[in-house]
Amino acid sequence: MPVYRCVLFFLMFVFCSSALISQPAPGFKSPVQLLEELKQVSRTGRVLYVAAHPDDENTAVLAYCANKLGFETAYLSLTRGDGGQNIIGDEQGIDLGIIRTQELLAARRTDGARQFFTRAYDFGYSKSPAETFTLWNKDSVLSDVVFVIRHFRPDVIITRFPSTGEGGHGHHTASALLAEEAFRLAGRSDIYPEQLQFAAPWQPKRLLWNGWGPVFKSRGINPDTLSTIDIGEFYTPAGMSFNEIAAISRTMHKSQGFGSSPQRGEQIQHFLHLDGEYTKQDIFSGINSGWSRYGFSEEIDNLFAKAIREYDYTAPEKSLPLLAEIYNRVLSQKNSEAASDKISELRNLIIAMSGVWIESVSSKDRYTRGDTVSVKTTVINRKGIPFQILSVNDIPVNKTAGSNKPEVTEHKLIVPQNARLSNPFWTDEPMQGNLFTISNQKKRILPETDNYLFSQITVDLAGTIFTADIPIFYRKNDPVEGETWRAPAVLPVVSLIPEEELYIANNTEEKEIRVTLRANKSSLSGRLTLRLPEGWLSTPVDYSVDNLIEGEERIFTFTVRQNKGNSSGSVGFLFTSGDITADRSYYEINYPHIPLQIVQPPAETKILFTGITRQKQQIGYIEGAGDKVAEVLESAGYQVTSLQEKDITPDQLLSYESIVTGVRFFNTRKNAAHLLETLLAYVKQGGTLVVQYNTSGELKLPYPGPFPFKISRDRVTDENAPVTVTDKTSPLLSYPDTITSEDFTGWVQERGLYFPSELSAEYKTVLSMSDKGETAKETSLIWTRYGKGIFIYTGLSFFRQLPAGVPGALRLFVNLIEQK
């Protein structure tokens, strides 16, 4: 019997190194699942769906292609959704992109498709593809789209949006334009030749747009003349329609509030031909979906057909001899490399049909480079298939796995000195503009990398010898969740965790900066130092750290002050011990619908020097959908109290000199009308109320103010758009500090969004701004006196500017709070 050495992945899905999941591998699948996987392994057609963001994809179409057709199906999202809003927490920017990446992967695990990305960072709403391409660097993103096509080799590419702008968002239109251009370029060897060492040129068969009725009508296109599929079709193996599968998939996008109910019954999707080989009806016509497309003989396809025809639901393992024959024939042919992905699927199916359970479990859930890992590898031959364990990590074992009897092998391995720290890989290097820096060409398009520790096991399964890399997991029992599994994290010897993300130094005051040093290894001694912005001094300059014990946490305090100038910047933390250095922080992003995410960015905090005038002390903050404004106000010197609904009473509100509501507060509270009534009573008695932006679609009351106004979709997306003062006498811009045009420099992502419209005459406006070529928007900041107090409503994106440490935005927001 020939011996084949290959890498097996026993995971159904690939998670990042910090994932907390239900189990490391499927020990057994239902007979229906196994038959469907057999059909899918036998088919080689491929479909790539292209759009711009998490949630843009038509998940029902993905589910149809991946399950009904059995085609390899993938969604290419140009971005990770970093620039959107978050209704489940206060994460923004890169952290929000980490959440949405995992939500996409959860969606793909539901609909059966794969996931790809480009390096493009979602910089927020864009009004045109021209702006989008300028901020992204079109050529860089186009090269990534081309590489996805060459790597994945789709037969059909489907765009979600038209290239003519009806999709609204500039990113949407850009995704269609890039797909069209990449379709024409991916097959040319003179385009991005540096990619050809990793993937050959590939020309897809056709390009289609998955359009919708109103646009077809505006173009004079009769949808009845287009190719169609019915995503409402009932899919018996799943016990639901593809639209029902899609509803479950879309509900994974919880940070966007996309819980979905399916439309049951017939639902037709239409496809407009854009390029490539034309087809009038079946968009998949002319595709060779058999293994013969890779140059294998038709006998391989005939053997798959026989395996499907003779499949026994009561004993799926009876298919193993035939599958082993297919596997051995495929590997014996010279062109097996071209079908490497499908061969890997076939190996996984053979293991799944055997019912063999293999696990490698570590004694701890986190390690540092150079650590020794104690591992137990267990093999359970649940169905009694002839199965022999030959070796583990090159240590001879030579045990026959009896029927349903665990065979346990204990061994040790060393964490490599060059092991990646557990961290979302696309954040490892500093960004370049609005592109993530990913030096490795093959990684650029991936949703995540595995970063696993592995045990290598060589087995004889029914006469075929495999060498397999088994990911090592840490296992524990959770009192609520039961058995949980986590891939061990790789950490530096110490983690340096700043207490605050931003410190604000007002005028000449000193600031105490605290950092927690968490030991990830014992018997360490070293020195903790700061890297300060120019013009700043620290007392002490550094600390000597002795005799650290693994798991120990120590807090160190540095007192910093300005020595000269008025500079702001980043404070970095560094621990050194001989030739070992550590300069990474640590935090977790933990939501029940996604795997736990470990993030280890550079250990830094921002320090902002500003000259704000602060007269009030007691501020009440009522959280909305989640933001970090309250923390910034505390750093600026205010005493901020987080108010719950039970605290919003007339008597308690009078304890505060100003009240601020978080973003989308009146979108998130069912009893918004009652709460507003209480808040306005507070204003009427002399209080100051600052309301941050809400959206119109989910507003829980007619209008969030004392007098009527509507909330529009008006926004200014250019963070550098000129701002004009329209009311120079307004106290909002003159008390206690004078706001000038300089205070609108250095803003991030946007000026503001969802500005008010159709204002009642009682409101006053103070600012005017617009994106290039558009009419002026004058309602980003409105206010009125109401009784003895002041009501202020603003669509300016303070929730982004303040955590980013934008000095002028902080000065303006302080002015709003200080009104009286």
Side-chain angles (χ1 to χ4, degrees):
M1 177 63 63
V3 175
Y4 301 108
R5 294 185 63 82
C6 54
V7 176
L8 286 178
F9 294 94
F10 290 91
L11 290 178
M12 185 186 298
F13 314 115
V14 179
F15 293 85
C16 70
S17 62
S18 56
L20 176 67
I21 64 176
S22 59
Q23 63 180 44
F28 185 74
K29 299 179 183 179
S30 74
V32 173
Q33 286 177 300
L34 290 173
L35 177 59
E36 290 306 297
E37 289 193 17
L38 173 56
K39 293 177 181 178
Q40 290 164 7
V41 169
S42 74
R43 298 165 185 162
T44 60
R46 295 195 169 195
V47 178
L48 178 66
Y49 203 96
V50 181
H53 310 105
D55 83 5
D56 285 347
E57 75 275 25
N58 187 330
T59 50
V61 172
L62 294 179
Y64 180 95
C65 295
N67 297 280
K68 165 78 172 183
L69 302 179
F71 284 3
E72 285 284 339
T73 305
Y75 173 47
L76 168 58
S77 175
L78 298 187
T79 77
R80 296 175 185 266
D82 325 80
Q85 283 87 51
N86 180 4
I87 73 164
I88 62 173
D90 59 13
E91 293 86 359
Q92 297 177 25
I94 289 174
D95 285 350
L96 180 56
I98 293 171
I99 292 172
R100 291 191 173 179
T101 294
Q102 291 301 320
E103 289 178 337
L104 268 178
L105 291 175
R108 297 295 79 80
R109 291 192 289 273
T110 302
D111 56 43
R114 295 169 62 179
Q115 183 64 51
F116 294 113
F117 291 101
T118 74
R119 289 169 290 168
Y121 175 76
D122 180 358
F123 56 81
Y125 189 84
S126 175
K127 293 181 177 178
S128 73
E131 177 196 39
T132 297
F133 289 142
T134 299
L135 294 174
W136 274 349
N137 183 332
K138 177 186 175 183
D139 187 68
S140 295
V141 182
L142 176 62
S143 74
D144 290 349
V145 179
V146 168
F147 188 64
V148 170
I149 295 172
R150 289 172 171 175
H151 167 80
F152 185 60
R153 305 188 303 277
D155 300 290
V156 175
I157 296 179
I158 303 172
T159 67
R160 184 56 179 140
F161 300 103
S163 60
T164 45
E166 292 91 342
H169 200 314
H171 294 180
H172 293 170
T173 305
S175 71
L177 290 168
L178 289 169
E180 291 182 7
E181 190 167 354
F183 178 89
R184 296 189 295 269
L185 298 178
R188 291 174 49 181
S189 59
D190 60 324
I191 301 297
Y192 306 120
E194 70 279 2
Q195 299 178 359
L196 300 186
Q197 59 182 310
F198 306 107
W202 178 262
Q203 180 56 59
K205 183 175 289 289
R206 61 179 61 96
L207 176 68
L208 308 163
W209 170 44
N210 179 199
W212 52 91
V215 181
F216 291 144
K217 184 177 180 181
S218 68
R219 297 187 187 183
I221 297 173
N222 181 356
D224 293 338
T225 65
L226 303 177
S227 301
T228 63
I229 61 173
D230 179 10
I231 59 174
E233 179 182 337
F234 186 75
Y235 180 54
T236 301
M240 62 183 76
S241 69
F242 299 109
N243 212 10
E244 289 173 299
I245 295 172
I248 300 171
S249 177
R250 285 188 68 77
T251 298
M252 296 298 105
H253 297 294
K254 297 184 186 298
S255 65
Q256 303 183 71
F258 272 20
S260 299
S261 297
Q263 175 183 323
R264 295 176 176 88
E266 181 183 79
Q267 186 176 1
I268 304 301
Q269 293 289 303
H270 297 86
F271 299 86
L272 177 68
H273 179 269
L274 299 176
D275 206 343
E277 183 180 294
Y278 177 76
T279 177
K280 185 175 182 180
Q281 288 300 323
D282 182 5
I283 63 176
F284 308 105
S285 68
I287 294 174
N288 178 1
S289 60
W291 283 60
S292 57
R293 74 182 292 170
Y294 295 119
F296 295 112
S297 67
E298 291 187 5
E299 183 61 23
I300 298 296
D301 291 330
N302 293 335
L303 289 173
F304 270 119
K306 181 180 180 183
I308 294 169
R309 188 170 58 250
E310 297 178 356
Y311 181 79
D312 186 344
Y313 282 97
T314 65
E317 64 275 12
K318 290 181 180 179
S319 299
L320 287 175
L322 190 51
L323 294 181
E325 180 183 351
I326 296 172
Y327 179 73
N328 290 331
R329 287 196 184 196
V330 167
L331 283 190
S332 68
Q333 298 187 32
K334 294 181 180 179
N335 55 347
S336 61
E337 181 62 28
S340 57
D341 287 351
K342 297 303 292 184
I343 293 171
S344 179
E345 290 178 31
L346 177 57
R347 290 195 300 258
N348 291 340
L349 178 60
I350 291 171
I351 294 295
M353 281 196 174
S354 74
V356 172
W357 170 273
I358 305 178
E359 67 177 33
S360 277
V361 178
S362 66
S363 56
K364 297 195 308 180
D365 68 341
R366 53 195 62 204
Y367 296 92
T368 64
R369 294 161 175 159
D371 281 354
T372 299
V373 183
S374 297
V375 182
K376 286 185 178 181
T377 297
T378 302
V379 176
I380 305 177
N381 185 4
R382 288 173 156 177
K383 306 202 75 176
I385 302 298
F387 193 93
Q388 188 174 16
I389 309 164
L390 302 180
S391 66
V392 176
N393 281 12
D394 293 327
I395 300 172
V397 175
N398 295 319
K399 290 182 179 179
T400 297
S403 180
N404 209 30
K405 296 179 179 179
E407 290 291 346
V408 180
T409 302
E410 298 187 21
H411 61 281
K412 298 181 184 297
L413 56 84
I414 305 298
V415 180
Q417 291 292 347
N418 62 349
R420 274 192 67 251
L421 297 181
S422 300
N423 192 55
F425 79 92
W426 63 94
T427 71
D428 284 347
E429 302 176 63
M431 288 179 61
Q432 297 179 353
N434 287 297
L435 287 176
F436 289 108
T437 302
I438 307 173
S439 302
N440 187 312
Q441 173 71 56
K442 291 190 290 186
K443 284 185 177 181
R444 288 178 181 175
I445 63 174
L446 299 180
E448 57 188 356
T449 55
D450 51 35
N451 200 39
Y452 284 112
L453 302 174
F454 291 92
S455 294
Q456 190 178 78
I457 182 171
T458 300
V459 300
D460 184 332
L461 173 59
T464 300
I465 297 176
F466 302 102
T467 294
D469 282 348
I470 308 301
I472 295 172
F473 284 82
Y474 172 74
R475 176 175 57 196
K476 73 172 185 177
N477 182 71
D478 183 274
V480 176
E481 300 296 330
E483 184 179 57
T484 60
W485 301 77
R486 180 183 300 169
V490 179
L491 309 179
V493 292
V494 297
S495 299
L496 305 163
I497 308 170
E499 183 178 75
E500 302 289 346
E501 296 180 16
L502 174 68
Y503 289 89
I504 298 172
N506 191 25
N507 297 319
T508 60
E509 67 183 357
E510 294 181 337
K511 297 297 291 188
E512 289 189 345
I513 293 181
R514 282 176 286 276
V515 61
T516 296
L517 190 154
R518 178 187 297 163
N520 302 317
K521 194 177 184 68
S522 291
S523 304
L524 273 179
S525 297
R527 188 163 297 278
L528 174 64
T529 58
L530 288 185
R531 185 190 70 249
L532 289 166
E534 185 178 355
W536 287 80
L537 298 177
S538 170
T539 304
V541 174
D542 57 17
Y543 282 96
S544 178
V545 184
D546 298 318
N547 301 319
L548 289 168
I549 301 171
E550 183 178 350
E552 179 184 2
E553 293 187 353
R554 298 185 193 176
I555 299 175
F556 298 88
T557 301
F558 295 88
T559 301
V560 301
R561 61 180 175 84
Q562 278 276 12
N563 182 42
K564 58 181 179 179
N566 295 326
S567 64
S568 302
S570 294
V571 177
F573 303 90
L574 176 67
F575 175 83
T576 56
S577 177
D579 59 354
I580 297 175
T581 62
D583 61 355
R584 291 278 169 169
S585 183
Y586 177 99
Y587 60 91
E588 298 176 354
I589 299 176
N590 193 6
Y591 290 97
H593 68 296
I594 61 172
L596 172 71
Q597 298 297 294
I598 288 176
V599 188
Q600 301 189 82
E604 295 178 343
T605 188
K606 299 171 188 172
I607 188 162
L608 172 62
F609 182 86
T610 182
I612 60 173
T613 301
R614 190 184 67 248
Q615 296 180 349
K616 294 183 179 181
Q617 294 294 326
Q618 300 293 332
I619 306 298
Y621 200 91
I622 313 173
E623 185 174 318
D627 59 64
K628 297 182 179 180
V629 172
E631 291 93 323
V632 177
L633 296 179
E634 284 185 327
S635 184
Y638 289 105
Q639 296 178 30
V640 181
T641 302
S642 178
L643 301 180
Q644 307 303 314
E645 286 196 18
K646 63 181 177 60
D647 304 317
I648 305 176
T649 66
D651 291 339
Q652 291 199 56
L653 292 182
L654 290 176
S655 303
Y656 304 101
E657 296 165 275
S658 291
I659 302 291
V660 180
T661 64
V663 299
R664 297 171 69 176
F665 171 74
F666 292 106
N667 295 137
T668 60
R669 305 302 174 105
K670 293 181 179 179
N671 58 339
H674 172 71
L675 296 173
L676 178 62
E677 182 180 347
T678 304
L679 289 167
L680 291 179
Y682 159 80
V683 175
K684 208 167 189 177
Q685 296 182 63
T688 299
L689 174 62
V690 180
V691 176
Q692 297 184 79
Y693 93 93
N694 291 265
T695 63
S696 60
E698 299 170 336
L699 202 59
K700 307 298 185 187
L701 73 177
Y703 50 88
F707 308 111
F709 67 87
K710 292 185 178 180
I711 297 175
S712 73
R713 295 187 63 84
D714 288 347
R715 60 205 302 163
V716 175
T717 62
D718 182 357
E719 63 269 32
N720 299 310
V723 177
T724 303
V725 174
T726 58
D727 184 359
K728 296 181 180 180
T729 65
S730 173
L732 275 61
L733 304 181
S734 60
Y735 176 83
D737 293 313
T738 301
I739 303 300
T740 70
S741 59
E742 288 298 312
D743 290 304
F744 293 94
T745 61
W747 284 45
V748 299
Q749 184 160 323
E750 61 198 357
R751 290 293 190 200
L753 65 172
Y754 301 111
F755 293 165
S757 65
E758 300 182 35
L759 308 181
S760 181
E762 287 85 353
Y763 291 108
K764 299 178 182 179
T765 62
V766 296
L767 301 172
S768 176
M769 61 190 71
S770 67
D771 284 318
K772 187 176 181 180
E774 294 190 355
T775 58
K777 308 294 187 295
E778 297 187 347
T779 60
S780 62
L781 179 59
I782 66 173
W783 70 285
T784 185
R785 292 199 175 274
Y786 184 67
K788 299 177 182 178
I790 288 182
F791 171 85
I792 300 168
Y793 185 96
T794 179
L796 294 171
S797 59
F798 290 109
F799 73 103
R800 297 195 193 280
Q801 313 310 319
L802 269 58
V806 178
L810 176 63
R811 282 166 46 82
L812 176 55
F813 202 81
V814 166
N815 265 25
L816 304 185
I817 291 173
E818 292 287 341
Q819 295 304 304
K820 56 185 179 182

